[in-house]
Amino acid sequence: MKIEKFYYDNQIVKMFAYATVLWAVVGMLVGLYAAFQMVFPAISMDLPYTTFGRIRPLHTNAIIFAFVGNGIFTGVYYSLQRLLKTRMWSDLLSKINFWGWQGIIVSAAITLPLGFTTSKEYAELEWPIDIAIALIWVVFGLNMMMTIVKRRERHLYVAIWFYIATFVTVAVLHIVNSFELPISFMKSYSWYAGVQDALVQWWYGHNAVAFFLTTPYLGLMYYFIPKAANRPVYSYRLSIIHFWALIFIYIWAGPHHLLYTSLPDWAQSLGTVFSIMLIAPSWGGMLNGLLTLRGAWDKVREDPTLKFMVVAVTAYGMSTFEGPMLSIKSVNAISHYTDWTIAHVHIGGLGWNGFLTFGMLYWLVPKLFNVKLYSIKLANTHFWIGTLGILFYAIPLYWAGFTQWAMWQEFSQDGFLVYPNFLETVTQLVPMYTMRAIGGTLYLTGTIVMIYNIVKTVKSGSFTKDEAAEAPALEKEYKPGKEHWHRPFERRPVQLMILSLVVILIGGIIEMVPTFLVKSNVPTIASVKPYTPLELHGRDVYIQEGCNNCHSQMVRPFRHETERYGEYSKSGEFVYDHPFLWGSKRTGPDLHRVGGKYPDSWHYNHMIEPDRMSPGSLMPVYSFLAETDIDTTTTVSKINAMRTLGVPYEEGYEYIANEDVVRQQKQILESLSEDEIEAEPNTELIALIAYLQRLGTDIKLQDKTAENN
Amino acid sequence: MLKFIKHNMESIIGVEIFPLISFIIFFSFFIGLIIYVIRLKKSSVEKMSAMPLEGSETNYTPNKPGHE
């Protein structure tokens, strides 16, 4: 058999590794900034660009897509070449993947603080960037699949299955959730509305966690833990079951983000059932990772890579136990909208993704530079600071979650809410938020220690750009003997990809098809009318400022919620909401029934100086809204777009809509002047007030009509 | 008021078939998978699981007694 000589491309691995480290620091700094704003709201400096609502999506996007995203590419580009005994198919595509991805990150870092957002969590980027993401992702997938096609190793190791499933599923998720109608450059409306939009979004949001933060990292786990421990994975059989069970089940679990909301009951139950089932494959995978170290635990004491990986896999186990628990409705009633969720995701983010990335880097950088790690001692220091950081981060937030829930639902003996003022339940948490910020600082400190260690290692080593290797070519005419049906799939990447696609589509379709029909099934409530054009502008201000990052618009059917906010939310109320704005966290109160609750002047003063109306408020100052004009030339395209999406504005209304804008502005100005407030009519603040005063009021008009339906 | 959120799906014709289909798909797939995994040859499992270790400085030998 002819032995072929070839070279592994280490350059691309190095570039992605550097990018991972760079974005880790950026993403964590932004997170820290957001965390400190919860303690010292003044540090947002009263600027629009630094408000929590705009910064929080920047943090989540930077961590998920920049830090973890580059981490995925680092690990995949390294392991794929070695597992397949070949160089990446195209150096050019590798480079386009790298620079394209960094370009997307930079454009996100610019547009999110500027207020360009779709409001859909982890999918906030606007349509031109969405298109760029799709293109670059296909470049990555093409390069990977072609590398697999021209490989020198017949069978595909299980890590590669995880990579393939990641590629296919993320592509599907991204495309389906990004269906939006552009109305201008950098502004679009979601194709779906209300309940439908919520289900699509959380099908996406949950599976972004599953197929961006989990499956590719499991692939890395299956490669780098055996590598670092120098022994094969505990059970290859288990890894096969792990793979299929995980991709089969994960895709169904999205609705657990919408328990007790207006989502139809059957979908909520489906989400719960599949989420609980997820324990099995997740823990199978965790045990498989940990047991790989059987007989090698002595190495864990000395090798920082293994230390990080052990904690990473343990954190994976913890959050995949917690996740199913949180999907049980009664537990979810506590955790949803509180800091419990934030603690949960950070066990996954800091522990699983962060520590696995660090472990991988401590192993990879010395390998790439043909040198030993500069300081094992510093790596151990990083390990302990980082671990402490995770604990300091998570424990106070678990505490905060329970505290806030306990305060929300407490009734006095006379049947009144003990804490009717929402703000009390937030100011109570400030000490916990302080500790969380300290935890984050510790974690970032550890990361900086790692960077110093890496820089020193890089300086003392010599980098091999193209690493020589040799392997026999793959025989073209391969005739296997008698074998099982699954074996061919392990040789045939395209078939494996198609089978994974089918598997994820089944789950997706069975949840989605009824959802897409929901629209005709959501009982229409006759009193629910489309937004007025000014309210539509106000809604876009709400989206632009990311209000949904701290305020929900979904009153759950609990006594303490209906008591506090009013009638619980109905699916029929959201039929014109493109996109939905239910939110997922209440740092501020729910706003679905805020319409008519306060006078216009209260909202005006509250936006100008939140602390004046609600002493101790953590809300950023929104006085800049009173100085920024809305662009009424876009009214036409907004009304048109909404009509295309099925909102029943009359033909030709778009041309007279601006008259209604002026009329409504005038009304608000009059009501403000009664309280001796002079305001500019055409500002974002007036539009926002119009929207807020509309929220949830349709049903109040209308209880009688509803009874007749 | 509950009528607003209940029965959203009932007007879809044949909606009951969805859970049934999914159960059958799941059940048979996983039974098949487990049978396959159990019947896998030991030699091929060892070969597959050793794949990441190729090219390491010291190759793992499965029969070496572990340190326990």
Side-chain angles (χ1 to χ4, degrees), chain A residues 214-378:
Chain A
T214 308
T215 53
Y217 267 58
L218 286 170
L220 300 187
M221 176 187 93
Y222 277 120
Y223 181 78
F224 283 102
I225 289 191
K227 233 17 195 177
N230 198 30
R231 54 191 56 229
V233 64
Y234 170 67
S235 164
Y236 194 77
R237 289 186 173 95
L238 182 56
S239 71
I240 296 174
I241 296 183
H242 181 201
F243 173 78
W244 286 110
L246 205 68
I247 69 164
F248 221 121
I249 297 175
Y250 239 133
I251 202 83
W252 299 72
H256 68 211
H257 289 257
L258 298 168
L259 299 180
Y260 284 116
T261 66
S262 308
L263 186 75
D265 262 354
W266 69 270
Q268 297 189 24
S269 306
L270 207 59
T272 301
V273 169
F274 279 89
S275 305
I276 292 170
M277 281 161 64
L278 265 176
I279 287 187
S282 304
W283 274 51
M286 173 196 68
L287 291 173
N288 213 358
L290 287 180
L291 288 173
T292 299
L293 298 168
R294 77 209 176 283
W297 285 99
D298 55 313
K299 285 188 184 174
V300 177
R301 213 166 358 173
E302 284 133 34
D303 185 353
T305 294
L306 287 177
K307 275 185 198 171
F308 275 104
M309 287 185 173
V310 165
V311 171
V313 176
T314 311
Y316 173 64
M318 292 195 327
S319 49
T320 54
F321 174 75
E322 192 185 4
M325 293 304 114
L326 292 174
S327 307
I328 298 169
K329 281 183 103 171
S330 47
V331 181
N332 194 269
I334 304 174
S335 74
H336 200 45
Y337 299 130
T338 72
D339 288 301
W340 188 349
T341 310
I342 320 298
H344 169 62
V345 297
H346 281 85
I347 295 289
L350 302 171
W352 164 240
N353 294 114
F355 268 34
L356 200 79
T357 311
F358 300 148
M360 178 178 82
L361 289 173
Y362 280 122
W363 185 86
L364 199 56
V365 171
K367 271 277 179 308
L368 293 177
F369 286 85
N370 304 300
V371 69
K372 277 206 156 35
L373 186 67
Y374 168 69
S375 164
I376 290 195
K377 215 170 168 182
L378 277 181

Side-chain angles (χ1 to χ4, degrees), chain A residues 108-286:
Chain A
I110 294 169
T111 57
L112 289 173
L114 288 176
F116 297 109
T117 171
T118 65
S119 84
K120 294 174 88 168
E121 278 179 70
Y122 326 125
E124 284 94 348
L125 302 175
E126 265 297 352
W127 67 274
I129 308 177
D130 278 345
I131 293 172
I133 294 172
L135 291 177
I136 297 300
W137 192 253
V138 169
V139 166
F140 160 65
L142 179 67
N143 203 10
M144 176 171 75
M145 293 312 285
M146 289 311 290
T147 309
I148 296 174
V149 167
K150 50 152 252 179
R151 68 199 186 275
R152 293 189 179 81
E153 168 63 59
R154 191 165 311 277
H155 289 285
L156 302 178
Y157 182 64
V158 68
I160 298 171
W161 309 4
F162 278 105
Y163 302 157
I164 294 174
T166 300
F167 163 62
V168 174
T169 315
V170 170
V172 172
L173 292 168
H174 174 69
I175 292 168
V176 173
N177 192 43
S178 299
F179 264 67
E180 51 213 1
L181 187 64
I183 61 156
S184 66
F185 182 62
M186 296 310 284
K187 175 72 194 166
S188 64
Y189 289 129
S190 173
W191 198 264
Y192 321 100
V195 177
Q196 208 180 1
D197 196 35
L199 186 50
V200 174
Q201 157 60 25
W202 284 113
W203 167 79
Y204 164 88
H206 175 73
N207 288 303
V209 175
F211 288 89
F212 204 86
L213 300 176
T214 308
T215 53
Y217 267 58
L218 286 170
L220 300 187
M221 176 187 93
Y222 277 120
Y223 181 78
F224 283 102
I225 289 191
K227 233 17 195 177
N230 198 30
R231 54 191 56 229
V233 64
Y234 170 67
S235 164
Y236 194 77
R237 289 186 173 95
L238 182 56
S239 71
I240 296 174
I241 296 183
H242 181 201
F243 173 78
W244 286 110
L246 205 68
I247 69 164
F248 221 121
I249 297 175
Y250 239 133
I251 202 83
W252 299 72
H256 68 211
H257 289 257
L258 298 168
L259 299 180
Y260 284 116
T261 66
S262 308
L263 186 75
D265 262 354
W266 69 270
Q268 297 189 24
S269 306
L270 207 59
T272 301
V273 169
F274 279 89
S275 305
I276 292 170
M277 281 161 64
L278 265 176
I279 287 187
S282 304
W283 274 51
M286 173 196 68

Side-chain angles (χ1 to χ4, degrees), chain A residues 627-648:
Chain A
E627 290 143 24
T628 321
D629 279 351
I630 54 167
D631 181 5
T632 46
T633 59
T634 59
T635 311
V636 177
S637 54
K638 282 181 182 180
I639 299 278
N640 273 335
M642 284 296 175
R643 190 187 299 115
T644 311
L645 297 173
V647 181

Side-chain angles (χ1 to χ4, degrees), chain B residues 4 9 15-16 19 34 36 39 44 48-49 51 55 59-60 62:
Chain B
F4 281 121
M9 289 295 135
V15 73
E16 319 80 39
I34 287 166
Y36 156 70
R39 291 180 48 192
S44 75
M48 293 294 285
S49 57
M51 282 170 70
N59 269 326
Y60 175 78

Side-chain angles (χ1 to χ4, degrees), chain A residues 461-665:
Chain A
S462 69
F463 178 63
T464 317
K465 199 167 164 232
D466 299 293
E467 187 183 326
E470 47 188 30
L474 212 54
E475 297 166 65
K476 281 243 158 53
E477 300 294 318
Y478 174 70
K479 291 226 170 55
K482 201 168 155 267
E483 59 175 7
H484 198 273
W485 61 270
H486 196 278
R487 290 300 277 175
F489 280 109
E490 291 163 30
R491 288 196 306 273
R492 296 191 188 129
V494 179
Q495 282 89 331
L496 185 80
M497 180 169 82
I498 292 168
L499 189 62
S500 334
L501 181 67
V502 169
V503 164
I504 62 134
L505 283 182
I506 294 171
I509 288 170
I510 292 182
E511 269 183 9
M512 292 302 208
V513 167
T515 316
F516 280 48
L517 300 177
V518 153
K519 208 165 181 182
S520 57
N521 281 271
V522 174
T524 40
I525 305 175
S527 56
V528 174
K529 293 275 185 298
Y531 294 104
T532 68
L534 186 63
E535 288 159 6
L536 208 53
H537 279 291
R539 196 167 197 273
D540 287 337
V541 174
Y542 189 97
I543 291 170
Q544 166 192 303
E545 298 309 327
C547 304
N548 56 298
N549 286 298
C550 290
H551 295 280
S552 57
Q553 287 187 18
M554 173 51 60
V555 182
R556 295 177 291 178
F558 298 139
R559 182 174 159 233
H560 69 88
E561 297 215 348
T562 51
E563 198 74 4
R564 184 183 298 278
Y565 304 116
E567 184 61 44
Y568 65 88
S569 309
K570 320 285 188 297
S571 50
E573 291 182 83
F574 302 101
V575 289
Y576 304 129
D577 282 14
H578 297 272
F580 83 115
L581 290 170
W582 294 359
S584 61
K585 170 76 174 71
R586 287 181 188 150
T587 308
D590 188 278
L591 297 179
H592 192 215
R593 300 283 175 222
V594 81
K597 194 172 179 183
Y598 305 103
D600 293 347
S601 57
W602 186 93
H603 285 293
Y604 190 90
N605 289 327
H606 182 247
M607 293 293 170
I608 301 284
E609 198 186 342
D611 204 43
R612 183 146 55 106
M613 304 312 284
S614 316
S617 172
L618 300 184
M619 190 166 119
V621 169
Y622 283 101
S623 52
F624 57 87
L625 294 180
E627 290 143 24
T628 321
D629 279 351
I630 54 167
D631 181 5
T632 46
T633 59
T634 59
T635 311
V636 177
S637 54
K638 282 181 182 180
I639 299 278
N640 273 335
M642 284 296 175
R643 190 187 299 115
T644 311
L645 297 173
V647 181
Y649 290 109
E650 272 172 48
E651 261 333 301
Y653 178 67
E654 61 270 29
Y655 302 112
I656 53 166
N658 273 334
E659 293 168 21
D660 282 350
V661 168
V662 175
R663 196 172 308 131
Q664 202 176 356
Q665 285 170 341

